[in-house]
Amino acid sequence: MSRASLAAGLVCVACSTPVADTGSLADSNASGTDEVTGVGTSTVGGDSSTGSSSSSGGSTVKLDVGVPTGGGNDTGPADLCTVPRDDNDAPGPCDYQAPPDSFDPVVQWEWTGDGPWANSATTPLVANLTDDNGDGAVDLCDTPDVVVLAWAEFLGPARLYVLDGQTGTEHFHIEMDLDDINPALGDIDGDGLPEIVAQRFEGGAIAFEHDGEVAWESSARTWPRFNAISLADLEGDDDVEILMPGGVVLDHNGMMLVESYLGAAGVFWEGSTPFAIDFDGDGDLEIIDGRRVFHHDGAPLWQQSSNECPQPPDGADVMPAVADLDKDGEPEVFLSAYDTGGAAMFCVLGPGGEVELTQAALPAAPDAIDWARPPAIHDIDGDNDAEVGVGGSPKYFAVLQVDGGELTPMFIASDVDDSGNAGATAFDFLGDGTAEAIYMDHTRLVAYDADGNVKLSVARSSYTQIEYPVVADIDNDGSAEFLVTSNGGQSPVRAFHDAGDRWVPARRIWNQHAYHVTNVREDGTIPAKPAKHWEQLNTFRTQAQIAVSGGTCDPEG
């Protein structure tokens, strides 16, 4: 199947308005009024080159959505715009592969900001928030939207912007002082539309409807800087909870459920990005915050304080990621951190908090804090084992694998710039079983193949605040794109695609900093009983490919 056929099928099945590619440079502006406005500029870059591919699938494109069969009591084609609520089946094999020479990233569009609001240091989010095809519904037949925070002054208040995924044109922005921590989005109130949860600059949580209207505000104590919000249904009762930095748990209306599972002193670790995983197999989700795990009601489950995996000083960065790293069927926690003596450490903990592996960061870093960055987990080399990608100092990015009870480097790139807290992601853009790792440092965006060879290197500026690039099909064309944010001189948001739009299809959602695919459905629904991600794609902070025949899929390694 050609890429042109794949894209045409994707945008046309049950959709009234096909999405056309843009082949020339153009500027577009939109305007609005009141608190939610739409003033900003995007530059769209296109390329008329084409590519081809082979596929074993048929000509009908079906993504991570319902698949009607027609006739009788079966649902009609419009259901292709929605996601079924029981879509937690294990991913099957992928049925689309891009040409072997098709990793040719170019800028699809860049958003240059809104006057002084021209800096971003958070991870962009992706979801469907606007009715682009005019059918009266916001669903997967619309063009996905990009949600980003932008600020005018470092450590000053930020504004929230919603951009069109195809062109980068601004739909609207919210003229309200928000904190520059990573927001989260998802359908928290069961109305079928995603909400956006952020933090006010002066403190307290705030939720916005998909159109930018305020849903509620909460005065709950919150913590600023270098952190992230997560969403989860902790009790599996179709009632979504909101995990705020500093140990605060809110219900979907912003009411306090847990004031601080971290204790009265409120001790927390900057950058720990709390998120929810079922560690004990009881069907409820637990909250992991740094190297500590809590039950859904805030009661402690375990805390790792062994001398084997040294405790960091209060306020220090602790960056967890969860996957099955040793193929024992259980989730492990990978921690990139440093101890009170300043030594950088890698630790792997079992689901009960037991130390399975600990060692000094490789290579040794004179400034240990710079190893404390968000890890990403993916099968990079196609051997069906999970590898960890993490940045470090000075000037290192490493992909590590668990081998014989040790973390050994699959490759170490030493040509990156020293940075504070930026991170990485990975995705198999060609569908050939090996993935590209994309890393953002202080001055560059770099993509590596499975052998550590540089496949892309472009300028990028940032003060770095645990942000990382994300991969999604942001324009609904059946080909993955990736997004990068910048500050200090570069455009705050840039979208990259393949010059011939030949990359494999990807999900059209990225809803939070601690994204791990099964934590959210493509329509923004937060599942009551999420599939155990370590038993499926076994990834973390990386994206899933979509099969031409429907649903998330696993490329053959």
Side-chain angles (χ1 to χ4, degrees):
M1 179 187 297
S2 69
R3 166 56 62 191
S5 298
L6 177 62
L10 190 156
V11 297
C12 290
V13 173
C15 302
S16 60
T17 305
V19 178
D21 193 14
T22 303
S24 61
L25 294 176
D27 293 331
S28 55
N29 298 315
S31 61
T33 58
D34 300 327
E35 195 169 60
V36 181
T37 62
V39 180
T41 301
S42 66
T43 300
V44 183
D47 192 297
S48 60
S49 60
T50 60
S52 62
S53 178
S54 61
S55 171
S56 59
S59 60
T60 300
V61 178
K62 301 169 184 175
L63 299 187
D64 190 12
V65 294
V67 182
T69 57
N73 295 321
D74 293 328
T75 54
D79 283 350
L80 285 170
C81 298
T82 62
V83 176
R85 295 189 60 82
D86 57 353
D87 60 343
N88 278 336
D89 293 337
C94 294
D95 48 15
Y96 180 85
Q97 189 169 335
D101 60 347
S102 59
F103 192 77
D104 185 14
V106 296
V107 174
Q108 177 168 332
W109 56 259
E110 57 184 315
W111 180 64
T112 58
D114 177 16
W117 305 92
N119 303 277
S120 185
T122 52
T123 301
L125 305 178
V126 178
N128 285 96
L129 301 173
T130 55
D131 178 17
D132 302 293
N133 61 11
D135 66 354
V138 176
D139 53 34
L140 290 170
C141 282
D142 294 305
T143 303
D145 302 297
V146 175
V147 178
V148 67
L149 285 174
W151 42 266
E153 180 182 355
F154 183 53
L155 299 182
R159 290 178 177 176
L160 189 146
Y161 290 81
V162 174
L163 312 176
D164 180 82
Q166 183 192 3
T167 65
T169 302
E170 185 182 317
H171 283 299
F172 61 85
H173 73 260
I174 297 169
E175 291 189 355
M176 186 175 293
D177 290 347
L178 302 176
D179 207 348
D180 194 27
I181 71 168
N182 292 269
L185 61 81
D187 182 6
I188 62 174
D189 59 8
D191 66 351
L193 296 166
E195 286 75 39
I196 305 167
V197 184
Q199 182 171 295
R200 294 295 301 267
F201 186 70
E202 61 270 23
I206 185 167
F208 302 98
E209 302 288 355
H210 71 283
D211 59 1
E213 294 297 321
V214 174
W216 51 256
E217 294 188 59
S218 170
S219 60
R221 176 185 57 82
T222 49
W223 293 93
R225 297 186 61 193
F226 308 160
N227 224 307
I229 300 168
S230 294
L231 306 178
D233 186 346
L234 296 177
E235 298 177 83
D237 58 358
D238 286 315
D239 195 359
V240 177
E241 281 78 36
I242 300 160
L243 310 182
M244 299 293 296
V248 175
V249 180
L250 306 176
D251 72 6
H252 70 272
N253 289 315
M255 301 298 293
M256 181 86 70
L257 296 177
V258 178
E259 183 175 0
S260 178
Y261 53 72
L262 300 177
V267 176
F268 80 109
W269 289 314
E270 195 174 75
S272 60
T273 61
F275 56 91
I277 298 290
D278 184 5
F279 280 103
D280 58 10
D282 65 352
D284 290 344
L285 301 182
E286 286 75 47
I287 304 165
I288 179 169
D289 197 324
R291 63 189 66 211
R292 298 164 293 186
V293 174
F294 303 87
H295 291 286
H296 67 268
D297 59 0
L301 178 62
W302 56 259
Q303 174 171 324
Q304 175 47 239
S305 57
S306 168
N307 289 334
E308 298 177 80
C309 189
Q311 200 84 339
D314 291 342
D317 300 82
V318 177
M319 302 284 184
V322 175
D324 182 0
L325 297 176
D326 58 7
K327 301 182 73 170
D328 65 352
E330 299 289 339
E332 278 84 38
V333 180
F334 176 88
L335 292 173
S336 173
Y338 63 101
D339 64 16
T340 53
M345 299 294 299
F346 294 146
C347 297
V348 176
L349 309 178
E354 62 278 8
V355 176
E356 294 188 357
L357 187 158
T358 182
Q359 65 188 52
L362 296 173
D367 186 5
I369 187 174
D370 284 339
W371 272 112
R373 305 179 189 176
I377 300 177
H378 201 90
D379 179 9
I380 301 292
D381 58 3
D383 63 354
N384 292 317
D385 292 337
E387 285 86 39
V388 180
V390 62
S393 171
K395 305 181 181 180
Y396 290 114
F397 172 73
V399 173
L400 310 166
Q401 56 191 343
V402 176
D403 185 12
E406 294 183 357
L407 279 169
T408 61
M410 197 174 78
F411 71 79
I412 298 177
S414 59
D415 58 348
V416 298
D417 186 64
D418 193 10
S419 178
N421 273 315
T425 191
F427 185 69
D428 183 356
F429 288 92
L430 307 187
D432 60 2
T434 65
E436 287 72 32
I438 310 174
Y439 178 64
M440 301 192 314
D441 65 23
H442 190 62
T443 62
R444 286 193 303 162
L445 170 75
V446 188
Y448 303 93
D449 66 14
D451 296 318
N453 300 311
V454 175
K455 306 296 288 183
L456 170 72
S457 180
V458 297
R460 181 253 179 182
S461 58
S462 179
Y463 297 107
T464 65
Q465 292 180 208
I466 74 170
E467 76 272 23
Y468 62 92
V470 304
V471 176
D473 182 356
I474 63 171
D475 55 6
N476 216 357
D477 68 346
S479 177
E481 290 83 30
F482 64 89
L483 294 162
V484 58
T485 55
S486 298
N487 55 77
Q490 296 287 332
S491 294
V493 187
R494 282 178 292 171
F496 291 82
H497 69 151
D498 174 60
D501 278 333
R502 298 161 294 178
W503 290 340
V504 300
R507 295 183 94 210
R508 295 158 286 181
I509 187 85
W510 195 294
N511 80 311
Q512 63 185 30
H513 193 279
Y515 176 79
H516 45 279
V517 179
T518 64
N519 70 287
V520 65
R521 295 187 176 95
E522 264 203 296
D523 62 355
T525 304
I526 307 300
K529 297 289 184 180
K532 296 176 180 179
H533 73 279
W534 61 91
E535 293 180 350
Q536 301 220 348
L537 294 171
N538 199 24
T539 61
F540 202 91
R541 295 192 179 98
T542 69
Q543 188 56 283
Q545 183 178 340
I546 295 295
V548 174
S549 56
T552 59
C553 63
D554 191 2
E556 292 185 6

